[in-house]
């Protein structure tokens, strides 16, 4: 029986956000950002602002997937960060 990594458990059962199933496997950065935004705004358990909660979950997933993350999907997820900033009206980092 395969053991589940703690980071996988956090992604699936976050105490702050109820994520859509397979959100991080989507190929559309806008769809990922929209889903994270909706989850963060709907959550009553988060401790930070909706933007920070959504961005934290996205960054957490990218960092924990590490070298096992497909390079193409990593680019999609990095673009989703920019889309998330746009969705929340935040300035883009340079």
């Amino acid at each position: 029986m395969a053991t589940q990594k703690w980071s996988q458990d956090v992604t699936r059962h976050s105490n702050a956000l109820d994520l859509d199933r397979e959100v991080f496997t989507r190929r559309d950065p806008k769809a990922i950002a929209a889903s994270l935004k909706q989850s963060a705004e709907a959550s009553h358990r988060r401790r930070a602002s909706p933007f920070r909660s959504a961005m934290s979950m996205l960054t957490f997933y990218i960092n924990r997937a590490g070298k096992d993350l497909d390079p193409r999907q990593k680019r999609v997820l990095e673009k989703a960060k920019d889309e998330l900033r746009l969705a929340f009206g935040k300035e883009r980092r340079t």
Side-chain angles (χ1 to χ4, degrees):
M1 182 173 174
T3 59
Q4 187 177 25
K5 295 181 180 179
W6 70 267
S7 56
Q8 185 178 23
D9 187 56
V10 169
T11 302
R12 287 191 178 158
H13 307 291
S14 167
N15 193 38
L17 301 179
D18 293 322
L19 301 173
D20 288 339
R21 186 174 172 87
E22 309 291 325
V23 66
F24 298 116
T25 61
R26 295 178 183 171
R27 299 283 185 201
D28 181 4
K30 286 183 182 183
I32 294 168
S35 177
L36 288 170
K37 182 176 191 274
Q38 188 277 327
S39 294
E41 290 177 336
S43 176
H44 297 290
R45 298 182 316 258
R46 64 180 159 66
R47 294 182 184 163
S49 70
F51 171 72
R52 287 187 60 193
S53 294
M55 187 63 77
S56 292
M57 186 56 75
L58 180 55
T59 301
F60 173 81
Y61 183 83
I62 292 168
N63 290 343
R64 296 312 307 165
K67 67 182 188 307
D68 296 329
L69 185 59
D70 178 75
R72 281 175 273 151
Q73 190 61 21
K74 184 172 182 176
R75 284 191 297 275
V76 169
L77 294 172
E78 290 293 341
K79 288 179 185 177
K81 287 183 180 181
D82 290 333
E83 293 297 332
L84 198 54
R85 287 183 191 97
L86 286 172
F88 278 99
K90 304 287 183 182
E91 290 201 23
R92 185 177 175 181
R93 294 175 125 180
T94 55

